[in-house]
Amino acid sequence: MAPANTLPAWAELQSHRDSVGKSFVLKEAFASDPARFERFARTFTAPGVADVLFDFSKNFLTDETLDLLVKLAEQAGVERKRDAMFRGDKINFTEKRAVYHTALRNVSGWEMKVEGKDVMGGPNGVNTVLDHMKEFSGQVRSGEWKGFTGKKLTNIINVGIGGSDLSGPVMVTEALKHYGADDLTLHFVSNIDGTHMAEALKASDPETTLFLIASKTFTTAETITNANTAKTWFLKKTDGKGDIAKHFVALSTNESEVTKFGIDAKNMFGFESWVGGRYSVWSAIGLSVAIYVGFDNFYKFLSGAHAMDKHFRETPLKDNIPVLGGLLSVWYSDFFQAQTHLVAPFDQYLHRFPAYLQQLSMESNGKSITSDGSSAKYTTGPILFGEPCTNAQHSFFQLVHQGTKLIPTDFILAAKSHNPISDNLHQKMLASNYFAQAEALMVGKTDEEVRAEGTPEDLVPHKRFLGNRPTTSILVGDVIGPAELGALIAYYEHLTFTEGAIWDINSFDQWGVELGKVLAKKILKELDEAGNGDGHDTSTGGLISAFKKYAKI
Ligand code: F6P
């Protein structure tokens, strides 16, 4: 693949940006074109999923921009790469793996094969594992699956990290809390900080606790250490009478490590190496979700994502919603030097959504090496951040409105609340803020408007809002239920895919997390050995030495 900045459309976008983009004023674009909203908004429609309106019109877009961005996508081979993904080709070229999380939610039975082998059927196929998840989640919810003293298991502790925790199960169970079983308590333990496990265990009774050890590799230091601590606690608390088989299950691809840990292979829910960690909530890693919200809702979640897959796979680029989202991101990153991207859901249930997106986006596209091994001569993945609104408005939105940086922003709102309390007043106030923020970021406030409010002259510049800040507003046409959440996540997954395809990077490996892991392992040994951080630079050595002195190690 040619580097993105050598594609003809890149140069065209550059001169388009110089001639049009620099002077583009959003509010004027609306004033001069009453049809702007209709032309740049797209509605995602699919059976079983509420409509989702994506309003791209408050972005730095003209018809020509859109044409050029689509041209860039064509020249970068976005469609070819997308088709290769759906064909099961090994597009994760540094790990020589297919990228096939879409098979996990293939509810309409597309033919999906890796190396010529059907991944849907057979003993370890997607559908077999789903059947196992359905059976097991039903048994736990009904109480048919009992602990070693015959009690129902009502306390679920998921032990995992990254995609086996936040970028998946934590975010999704929070987002679908409305559908969660009231008699189940969920804990997610991820951090190696013993506090995380200690606090979960403090609140737990071994007779009613089920541990889900969630790790694709089953070698992640944090997860295996936490899992061993949980096992030791369980055996100690039960005087060795506790039955591991009834209280521990594994969600993993690594059967030999699972059995070595002491979990029977029949209590393992498997998946394949073609599922990336940050794309694994659709796999067995989603078992905590299935238990908490019930398998039917989990299946709806898969179905919503599949509907977005279908849209992404079949819709021409110009109307392809995740492709448009990805193209806008490239537009701002590479042609406006935007370094960040803000996602602010107007939805308390989505309070972990931005944190989840951080792993999806930054672990996928935080790369600087292109497919031929050379360094990218352009900016890749933005720093993604966010918090739910209206909270975020009362913390960092000052900088978004009046700071010196351009921060493209996504706002998300559901038309209906799961909790329409006080005669829906809260929902209406929430919605009014959702509309107001995007409008305010666009229109700003001129000096004349500030003066007209009787503002003293010395304060005028301080109260000025330049405006012209781009936003994409996403409006779900109902409550955010399992299907809508599935579709939203898949939207961001495919947006991330589109960005990576244009930047010509591998969005599916994560070598950047390795170095720190290796050094931590080496230093862990040193903490138990004599010595004062010798062999390190003086800062690291000095810190190790001080730690040993203070901690009396
Ligand atoms: O260290 C990064 C990472 O590999 C993520 O990609 C992954 O989600 C996480 O660690 C956990 O990995 P595993 O599920 O194999 O324990």
Side-chain angles (χ1 to χ4, degrees):
M1 248 304 296
N5 63 338
T6 64
L7 299 171
W10 190 278
E12 287 186 72
L13 277 161
Q14 194 62 59
S15 51
H16 173 69
R17 189 254 182 271
D18 289 344
S19 61
V20 180
K22 262 185 195 156
S23 55
F24 186 79
V25 180
L26 273 168
K27 62 180 175 188
E28 287 171 11
F30 277 95
S32 63
D33 176 8
R36 183 172 172 84
F37 170 69
E38 279 81 36
R39 275 188 305 113
F40 293 116
R42 300 283 183 279
T43 302
F44 170 73
T45 54
V49 190
D51 287 359
V52 187
L53 172 63
F54 292 80
D55 177 14
F56 296 114
S57 66
K58 289 198 190 81
N59 281 289
F60 298 163
L61 269 183
T62 64
D63 288 328
E64 190 187 352
T65 322
L66 186 55
D67 288 345
L68 288 174
L69 287 171
V70 167
K71 215 171 175 190
L72 180 68
E74 283 163 358
Q75 291 171 6
V78 170
E79 286 160 304
R80 179 174 48 76
K81 291 175 184 178
R82 174 197 65 190
D83 295 347
M85 173 171 78
F86 281 107
R87 212 169 36 234
D89 290 3
K90 297 189 176 174
I91 62 166
N92 175 355
F93 53 88
T94 58
E95 296 181 307
K96 299 192 173 40
R97 288 177 181 158
V99 171
Y100 232 26
H101 47 278
T102 52
L104 301 164
R105 54 210 195 198
N106 172 21
V107 298
S108 65
W110 289 339
E111 182 182 83
M112 298 196 81
K113 290 181 176 174
V114 172
E115 290 174 340
K117 204 175 140 259
D118 170 39
V119 301
M120 299 307 298
N124 288 316
V126 168
N127 289 330
T128 314
V129 177
L130 275 178
D131 286 346
H132 191 191
M133 289 170 73
K134 180 177 182 175
E135 181 193 19
F136 183 76
S137 57
Q139 286 172 334
V140 172
R141 284 169 68 87
S142 69
E144 193 188 326
W145 185 280
K146 293 186 182 359
F148 75 104
T149 54
K151 287 190 184 161
K152 181 177 177 182
L153 303 183
T154 53
N155 187 52
I156 318 288
I157 304 185
N158 187 88
V159 181
I161 198 164
S164 303
D165 175 75
L166 173 63
S167 296
V170 172
M171 181 276 284
V172 174
T173 51
E174 285 298 309
L176 298 180
K177 205 174 211 151
H178 177 78
Y179 303 84
D182 289 338
D183 63 341
L184 292 179
T185 305
L186 284 191
H187 300 276
F188 288 90
V189 177
S190 53
N191 203 329
I192 195 59
D193 181 347
T195 297
H196 211 177
M197 181 58 86
E199 287 295 334
L201 294 180
K202 225 187 253 179
S204 299
D205 172 356
E207 291 183 49
T208 54
T209 297
L210 172 66
F211 291 96
L212 309 177
I213 313 300
S215 175
K216 173 178 169 177
T217 54
F218 228 77
T219 56
T220 303
E222 290 92 333
T223 301
I224 300 310
T225 306
N226 278 326
N228 276 312
T229 300
K231 189 166 77 170
T232 305
W233 171 87
F234 178 75
L235 292 174
K236 190 163 172 227
K237 283 273 176 185
T238 60
D239 289 330
K241 293 190 203 80
D243 186 350
I244 295 281
K246 293 195 162 92
H247 292 265
F248 283 76
V249 302
L251 325 173
S252 186
T253 58
N254 191 344
E255 186 174 323
S256 71
E257 285 298 321
V258 166
T259 47
K260 223 191 277 171
F261 176 83
I263 296 178
D264 199 312
K266 72 174 188 310
N267 291 331
M268 168 174 160
F269 296 78
F271 54 105
E272 299 290 337
S273 61
W274 40 254
V275 181
R278 53 195 172 275
Y279 302 90
S280 64
V281 70
W282 322 99
S283 74
I285 293 292
L287 188 63
S288 52
V289 179
I291 294 174
Y292 186 51
V293 302
F295 188 81
D296 288 351
N297 281 321
F298 184 69
Y299 197 78
K300 281 186 195 158
F301 173 62
L302 302 183
S303 307
H306 180 66
M308 186 59 82
D309 293 342
K310 193 168 154 49
H311 170 88
F312 177 58
R313 193 179 187 181
E314 296 172 358
T315 310
L317 295 178
K318 208 168 178 172
D319 291 313
N320 196 309
I321 296 171
V323 169
L324 294 177
L327 287 172
L328 280 170
S329 172
V330 172
W331 181 224
Y332 293 124
S333 289
D334 293 300
F335 298 89
F336 292 84
Q337 282 65 53
Q339 294 292 325
T340 58
H341 187 98
L342 165 61
V343 178
F346 283 75
D347 193 310
Q348 190 55 31
Y349 284 129
L350 292 189
H351 71 118
R352 300 303 278 152
F353 197 68
Y356 146 75
L357 284 179
Q358 286 184 319
Q359 187 182 351
L360 171 67
S361 173
M362 297 203 267
E363 203 175 63
S364 297
N365 288 341
K367 318 269 165 76
S368 54
I369 301 299
T370 60
S371 65
D372 66 0
S374 59
S375 294
K377 306 280 185 305
Y378 39 83
T379 299
T380 60
I383 298 162
L384 194 145
F385 71 110
E387 274 291 318
C389 277
T390 55
N391 298 8
Q393 293 164 215
H394 296 272
S395 66
F396 57 77
F397 264 52
Q398 163 64 41
L399 183 147
V400 183
H401 282 281
Q402 284 189 314
T404 52
K405 295 178 177 58
L406 177 76
I407 306 179
T409 299
D410 293 357
F411 291 129
I412 305 172
L413 176 78
K416 291 189 189 162
S417 170
H418 285 296
N419 302 293
I421 55 174
S422 301
D423 208 13
N424 219 21
L425 170 67
H426 293 262
Q427 175 67 3
K428 283 189 259 180
M429 287 178 69
L430 184 71
S432 61
N433 277 277
Y434 162 84
F435 301 122
Q437 284 301 323
E439 190 170 43
L441 284 166
M442 176 173 76
V443 300
K445 200 173 196 182
T446 61
D447 288 1
E448 290 65 46
E449 287 166 328
V450 177
R451 281 191 193 103
E453 288 171 348
T455 305
E457 201 51 34
D458 59 330
L459 278 186
V460 169
H462 297 276
K463 296 180 91 174
R464 169 197 308 144
F465 289 69
L466 292 176
N468 215 30
R469 273 122 165 103
T471 57
T472 296
S473 296
I474 302 174
L475 179 62
V476 177
D478 201 321
V479 294
I480 296 182
E484 292 72 31
L485 180 69
L488 265 183
I489 297 173
Y491 163 74
Y492 280 103
E493 285 180 352
H494 297 319
L495 180 161
T496 304
F497 178 96
T498 304
E499 294 173 327
I502 290 172
W503 288 324
D504 189 30
I505 53 178
N506 182 357
S507 302
F508 301 100
D509 59 14
Q510 54 284 318
W511 301 105
V513 299
E514 293 305 322
L515 180 59
K517 285 187 195 175
V518 172
L519 286 181
K521 209 165 166 186
K522 180 170 165 277
I523 294 174
L524 177 64
K525 266 207 207 135
E526 292 172 26
L527 294 182
D528 281 333
E529 288 164 359
N532 278 318
D534 318 317
H536 294 274
D537 60 87
T538 53
S539 165
T540 311
L543 286 165
I544 292 173
S545 165
F547 172 79
K548 282 183 152 186
K549 190 174 95 197
Y550 294 140
K552 301 199 184 356
I553 288 177

